[in-house]
Amino acid sequence: MKGGVIIGKGNEKFILQTNLNSKVIDKNDIKYKQKGGMNCVNERVFKNILGTCWMVAIQMMMCFGDATKDQIERELAQPNTTTIESISNLDKKLEKFLPSKYSDLETTKRIEYLSILLDAFIKRYIAKIERRFPISVNPKENPKRCELIIENNYISLFKNIGTHEDDSFGGNKIDSYFFANLLGIFFLKQEIYFSMHTRKMFNQISFDEQDIGIIIEIYGHDCCFFVCGGVPKFYNDNDEKIYDFDFMNLLRNLKDDEDLFVISNQVVALNRTEYFKNIIRYSYYQKILCLTVVSKKDFGNNFNQEIKLFFNDEYDDINNFYLLSEIAIKFMENLDNDEAFKFLIKRSNDEYYITMFNLGNFYERKDDIDTAIEYFQKALDNGKISAAEKLVYLNVFKKNESKAIMYNRFYHFVSSSNSNSNSNRNNNN
């Protein structure tokens, strides 16, 4: 078949046939006797070479996490996992699930992109199971690298919806949601749910056996928490190792005056004042901006419906702080600042760092400098690095030289440290 359609054959084997390669894979090669899904060993981790950390976080949680890994393994053990019919059924379910703009792309193209994407996902999964890794080709120059194929076909599939305006591999929260649900609907036969938390809500997070994992957003990068073999784990693809880490104990005991930071092999809580006053010592600490619980259970927050409203430009019934921030940015780009303010203020108590920063800009334009400083400080406290630069300028304006020097010092050390990190996500810090 042409166009990357995947065809199932026989009781013992199935053919993955795309416009790139055809390969017959014996399901006995995949070591299905491994009880409970893929084991959490560092030799099997998904790596981010090309800037797909947000995809890697989803794949790590779903392929290694106790909530889903055995289901994915069982699905792949079926002889006819990937057939024309199964891909077509997936496409039909995505049409109902996703914003209507998904259907603007012709059906044959959607099935082609879905087929190639899932082909690459399965091949990558099998390579991890078998610990089979090519070493003769530079991964950044390998056109057959599964990471590259998955991302390219994701971009082609979702370009009409508008999550990718260019071919960059960075992804935002909406991309993470779409990708998780593409995999969830195909392999788990169900919708995947998201619950987003700003800093002030971190210690309210709960986690149970229906939860797949938690996406950790830091500046320019995503990593994750999940549970494997009953043991809570932390994974950051920067060092490509899985660590045992009791993240729920950390979240439960987080104090109101503490923030969370990613440092090498762990996440730590640190007093906010201590961090700010000793920024040279902590300049390599990367503040966590947002935590998103990914789950098989419905949180009842209607995020799936609000996504559709967002892409249909029906904004009045949207309450998610991230979507409200994105709506406000749309109005600001059209120079309609009053309409933008309406959506910024709606969930401002959540103190989402981008919302706080844009409210600071709003009040600065109104010449309400004290209120602008208040919001820029909240933006900085919640991880918006460039808010420090604003606080330098406004304190110079108010002739508060000592504070201006303090913020300038902070901005210099933190921005220099973060400039050395990967920029794989579109978080506009």
Side-chain angles (χ1 to χ4, degrees):
M1 294 292 294
K2 295 181 180 180
V5 177
I6 305 174
I7 306 174
K9 285 284 185 181
N11 292 323
E12 294 301 321
K13 298 181 179 181
F14 57 90
I15 296 176
L16 302 178
Q17 188 174 23
T18 74
N19 57 359
L20 298 174
N21 281 303
S22 296
K23 180 180 179 183
V24 179
I25 300 175
D26 190 328
K27 71 176 184 178
N28 294 321
D29 289 343
I30 312 182
K31 298 182 177 63
Y32 287 106
K33 295 180 181 179
Q34 184 176 245
K35 185 177 180 181
M38 197 187 298
N39 292 335
C40 296
V41 292
N42 290 327
E43 293 85 355
R44 289 176 173 160
V45 299
F46 292 90
K47 300 177 182 179
N48 159 37
I49 304 296
L50 305 174
T52 63
C53 63
W54 61 279
M55 278 187 161
V56 166
I58 297 292
Q59 291 174 87
M60 286 295 298
M61 295 187 300
M62 296 186 81
C63 293
F64 286 97
D66 287 347
T68 50
K69 65 179 183 177
D70 59 329
Q71 291 176 267
I72 292 177
E73 182 187 62
R74 286 198 304 269
E75 184 66 21
L76 286 175
Q78 302 301 315
N80 295 316
T81 299
T82 47
T83 64
I84 296 175
E85 182 180 4
S86 66
I87 298 296
S88 180
N89 287 337
L90 171 63
D91 178 61
K92 290 174 182 177
K93 290 176 182 177
L94 289 174
E95 270 198 290
K96 293 180 180 179
F97 173 79
L98 292 170
S100 59
K101 291 180 181 179
Y102 174 77
S103 301
D104 291 348
L105 186 66
E106 60 183 270
T107 304
T108 55
K109 283 293 184 182
R110 297 199 306 265
I111 291 177
E112 176 184 344
Y113 298 141
L114 284 169
S115 299
I116 300 172
L117 188 156
L118 289 167
D119 179 1
F121 177 88
I122 293 170
K123 286 178 178 176
R124 196 179 200 192
Y125 182 93
I126 293 169
K128 301 302 179 184
I129 286 284
E130 296 182 343
R131 308 188 194 190
R132 173 163 50 82
F133 312 110
I135 58 175
S136 59
V137 181
N138 183 334
K140 292 186 178 182
E141 299 174 356
N142 182 8
K144 296 181 180 180
R145 180 174 173 80
C146 291
E147 178 189 8
L148 175 66
I149 295 169
I150 292 170
E151 174 66 13
N152 278 339
N153 284 277
Y154 175 88
I155 291 173
S156 297
L157 190 64
F158 288 95
K159 214 163 192 176
N160 279 359
I161 297 181
T163 59
H164 271 87
E165 296 180 357
D166 53 37
D167 292 333
S168 66
F169 283 2
N172 59 27
K173 294 178 179 64
I174 295 174
D175 289 307
S176 295
Y177 179 75
F178 286 165
F179 185 63
N181 272 282
L182 189 159
L183 298 179
I185 291 170
F186 186 75
F187 289 107
L188 310 177
K189 314 304 180 189
Q190 72 155 87
E191 181 178 341
I192 303 301
Y193 299 92
F194 273 33
S195 179
M196 299 175 186
H197 302 263
T198 59
R199 163 59 194 89
K200 68 182 299 183
M201 297 183 278
F202 286 175
N203 56 11
Q204 301 171 25
I205 294 174
S206 60
F207 196 89
D208 62 35
E209 68 278 357
Q210 292 297 304
D211 296 324
I212 299 169
I214 300 176
I215 301 171
I216 305 166
E217 180 190 346
I218 57 179
Y219 175 74
H221 187 58
D222 277 0
C223 35
C224 60
F225 295 131
F226 57 94
V227 175
C228 181
V231 179
K233 305 285 185 178
F234 166 66
Y235 180 67
N236 182 357
D237 63 54
N238 280 343
D239 64 3
E240 301 175 358
K241 292 181 181 179
I242 302 171
Y243 297 96
D244 293 349
F245 188 80
D246 190 351
F247 59 87
M248 280 312 304
N249 184 60
L250 177 71
L251 295 174
R252 278 193 301 268
N253 294 297
L254 185 65
K255 299 175 182 177
D256 290 340
D257 60 354
E258 292 178 329
D259 293 320
L260 293 181
F261 299 84
V262 171
I263 56 167
S264 61
N265 63 350
Q266 62 179 314
V267 175
V268 299
L270 181 65
N271 178 272
R272 191 174 299 121
T273 303
E274 165 69 13
Y275 168 71
F276 195 81
K277 286 185 175 180
N278 296 282
I279 190 56
I280 297 177
R281 182 190 306 171
Y282 302 117
S283 61
Y284 65 95
Y285 280 40
Q286 295 195 292
K287 184 175 286 191
I288 294 179
L289 307 171
C290 184
L291 293 175
T292 300
V293 181
V294 181
S295 184
K296 296 194 294 184
K297 68 172 184 281
D298 188 348
F299 292 106
N301 57 17
N302 294 321
F303 183 68
N304 58 335
Q305 296 302 316
E306 291 190 10
I307 283 277
K308 293 179 180 178
L309 294 174
F310 175 79
F311 282 103
N312 288 334
D313 298 331
E314 301 171 13
Y315 301 144
D316 289 343
D317 292 328
I318 292 177
N319 290 293
N320 176 269
F321 63 80
Y322 171 73
L323 294 179
L324 289 170
S325 175
E326 291 295 298
I327 294 166
I329 289 171
K330 286 186 177 184
F331 282 112
M332 286 187 288
E333 288 173 348
N334 291 325
L335 303 180
D336 190 345
N337 292 320
D338 289 338
E339 192 69 12
F341 179 79
K342 181 177 77 174
F343 293 100
L344 288 172
I345 208 69
K346 188 173 183 180
R347 289 293 297 270
S348 59
N349 287 338
D350 290 337
E351 297 186 3
Y352 182 48
Y353 68 101
I354 294 177
T355 298
M356 297 297 97
F357 185 81
N358 285 326
L359 281 170
N361 281 330
F362 178 86
Y363 283 106
E364 182 185 3
R365 285 192 295 267
K366 296 285 188 181
D367 291 327
D368 186 346
I369 303 304
D370 290 337
T371 305
I373 288 175
E374 177 186 342
Y375 279 109
F376 283 133
Q377 183 64 58
K378 288 181 179 179
L380 181 61
D381 289 343
N382 285 277
K384 185 69 173 172
I385 299 166
S386 52
E389 193 173 26
K390 286 283 191 175
L391 288 165
V392 172
Y393 167 75
L394 292 179
N395 278 283
V396 168
F397 177 81
K398 288 177 67 69
K399 298 183 173 12
N400 194 332
E401 184 177 345
S402 61
K403 282 192 174 183
I405 292 172
M406 177 182 67
Y407 287 118
N408 186 60
R409 178 172 170 269
F410 175 89
Y411 180 71
H412 170 74
F413 282 105
V414 176
S415 59
S416 296
S417 175
N418 281 313
S419 67
N420 295 322
S421 65
N422 292 327
S423 293
N424 301 326
R425 165 171 285 276
N426 304 323
N427 62 17
N428 299 316
N429 236 317

